[in-house]
Amino acid sequence: MDLIPFDYATLRLVWWLLLGVLLIGFAIMDGFDLGVAALLPFTARSDDERRVVLNTIGPVWEGNQIWLVLGGGAIFAAWPPLYAVSFSGFYIAMILILFALILRPVGFTFRSQISNPRWRSVWDWALFVSGAVPALVFGVAVGNVLQGVPFRLDDTLRPFYEGNFFQLLNPFALLAGLVSLSMLVMHGAGMLVWKTEGPIQARARTYGGLAALAVIALFLLAGLWVWIGIDGYVITSAVVGDGPSNPLAKTVEMQAGAWLAAYTTRPWTMAAPILGLAGAAIAFLAFLARREVLPFLASAVSILGIISTVGLAMFPVILPSSIDPRSSLTVFDASSSHYTLWMMVLATVVFLPIVLAYTAFVYRVMRGKVTAASVADNHHSY
């Protein structure tokens, strides 16, 4: 371990930050794919218009999914207990997300194979489901994490999940799901305004503006709910940053308003919710002002702020337990070994720039508007 230039606590913080970067990257890069798919039946009225909408994301959606793969891989490798509890406890929700995401490649592949309008309409609605359902369920999962997940660890650190799928569908979690859905619809509308023109662009502006207003209202409502109705988690024992990964070695208490205590102890964290609200407000004004690129950029800022709000408010907790607070997982007691985290940093330093360079290259090649004429002229179009 003497060859590792960073101590254990620092690497744990680094991977907490990297996990946040990957989740935000997924929400921004694949989020507009989900938003565009969710808007498909509403922004496109004819088959030609629907083909235009699909081809705004057709060349890039597969590459954007790498952010989801990277996020899941990072959780598996850097935070094994978090992976074990969340992917088993949210098993049915994960299956629902995967089923919806599977509809996306199937829909893109089969939609244009037959020119029958009914056939294409069925796949159009399948693509709508592939966008709206994951956007909603991801938010529901976050809402449940903020409330605490019903799991416990035994003396051998084996996790036991004691909830069920229908418990996930509680009022606050559904509100968080609506925040997520409206946020990604806003982002998808920003992409359509950027990449299309004419009636599709006009409809996207309308729906994008409405989604931006919904983001502001729902995010504020969720914050108020957290303030007055949801207990947070406070570590009452010493936080040992370089100690062994044993969640049961600490003591934790649930306290009213604890999730908002970060704004008192770390005032700079107020920047996160401010960015979330300001980004949505700027996106709304940009939609009204008929700007083309600004709505997308502003919605990306809003996504950054909203996701960061959750992570910063909960730090250092990453998965609280509602039935045994001591079992809650934190940045400092649920990670992989010191050596594993360091090896993963080296791998990230090598491969993340490759992903970013490839992504930048693809978007440069595919720049420009998507029109009905360009779709008709390109035999590779969907």
Side-chain angles (χ1 to χ4, degrees):
M1 298 301 176
D2 292 337
L3 298 177
I4 301 177
F6 300 102
D7 60 48
Y8 201 5
T10 299
L11 285 177
R12 283 166 159 167
L13 284 173
V14 166
W15 270 103
W16 176 74
L17 291 170
L18 285 175
L19 179 59
V21 168
L22 294 174
L23 293 178
I24 292 169
F26 166 69
I28 292 176
M29 298 304 298
D30 202 32
F32 71 76
D33 295 332
L34 301 178
V36 167
L39 284 168
L40 176 62
F42 310 105
T43 56
R45 304 289 172 80
S46 66
D47 185 67
D48 286 342
E49 288 184 349
R50 286 189 284 271
R51 291 190 67 195
V52 169
V53 170
L54 291 176
N55 280 280
T56 60
I57 60 174
V60 298
W61 70 265
E62 289 180 288
N64 290 339
Q65 287 190 136
I66 190 62
W67 293 96
L68 178 60
V69 176
L70 289 174
I75 294 173
F76 174 77
W79 315 100
L82 174 61
Y83 182 90
V85 174
S86 60
F87 278 69
S88 60
F90 297 158
Y91 182 76
I92 297 179
M94 294 293 181
I95 291 296
L96 184 62
I97 290 173
L98 289 175
F99 174 75
L101 291 177
I102 287 171
L103 286 177
R104 183 161 57 176
V106 175
F108 274 111
T109 300
F110 288 106
R111 182 194 183 277
S112 297
Q113 298 297 316
I114 300 176
S115 59
N116 182 282
R118 182 173 297 178
W119 169 271
R120 293 189 172 185
S121 177
V122 168
W123 289 114
D124 288 339
W125 282 104
L127 287 166
F128 163 78
V129 170
S130 76
V133 169
L136 179 68
V137 176
F138 281 129
V140 168
V142 173
N144 278 279
V145 169
L146 282 167
Q147 295 175 93
V149 178
F151 76 96
R152 61 181 176 83
L153 303 175
D154 68 8
D155 292 338
T156 63
L157 300 184
R158 289 186 305 170
F160 294 88
Y161 182 81
E162 300 184 3
N164 60 63
F165 172 73
F166 295 101
Q167 288 178 325
L168 300 178
L169 304 178
N170 57 78
F172 177 77
L174 291 173
L175 173 61
L178 291 177
V179 173
S180 174
L181 178 60
S182 59
M183 177 180 75
L184 297 186
V185 166
M186 172 183 68
H187 199 43
M191 173 55 69
L192 288 176
V193 168
W194 188 357
K195 295 287 289 183
T196 66
E197 57 189 18
I200 298 174
Q201 187 185 63
R203 296 183 199 117
R205 284 197 184 99
T206 299
Y207 287 112
L210 293 174
L213 291 177
V215 169
I216 296 170
L218 294 172
F219 187 47
L220 286 172
L221 179 58
L224 179 63
W225 197 325
V226 170
W227 180 33
I228 64 176
I230 294 180
D231 292 341
Y233 292 70
V234 177
I235 300 173
T236 55
S237 58
V239 177
V240 182
D242 57 354
S245 290
N246 180 8
L248 299 180
K250 65 180 181 303
T251 57
V252 179
E253 292 182 359
M254 298 176 65
Q255 297 179 6
W259 286 149
L260 302 182
Y263 302 137
T264 301
T265 58
R266 303 187 299 272
W268 58 269
T269 58
M270 276 296 298
I274 290 173
L275 283 177
L277 293 170
I282 294 171
F284 172 72
L285 295 175
F287 282 123
L288 284 182
R290 298 180 178 274
R291 302 290 295 272
E292 293 201 342
V293 180
L294 185 57
F296 180 81
L297 298 179
S299 65
V301 170
S302 182
I303 291 172
L304 167 65
I306 290 172
I307 296 178
S308 297
T309 297
V310 177
L312 292 171
M314 293 180 60
F315 181 83
V317 179
I318 51 178
L319 190 67
S321 169
S322 60
I323 60 176
D324 180 22
R326 190 173 66 124
S327 295
S328 299
L329 307 179
T330 76
V331 172
F332 301 113
D333 63 23
S335 73
S336 293
S337 68
H338 191 182
Y339 180 77
T340 299
L341 295 181
W342 173 239
M343 289 296 99
M344 290 174 59
V345 166
L346 295 180
T348 302
V349 168
V350 173
F351 291 107
L352 187 57
I354 295 175
V355 172
L356 294 174
Y358 171 77
T359 301
F361 172 76
V362 169
Y363 279 84
R364 177 173 175 79
V365 171
M366 303 307 301
R367 66 188 183 278
K369 295 282 188 179
V370 179
T371 65
S374 66
V375 170
D377 291 341
N378 186 353
H379 66 279
H380 294 295
S381 298
Y382 291 105

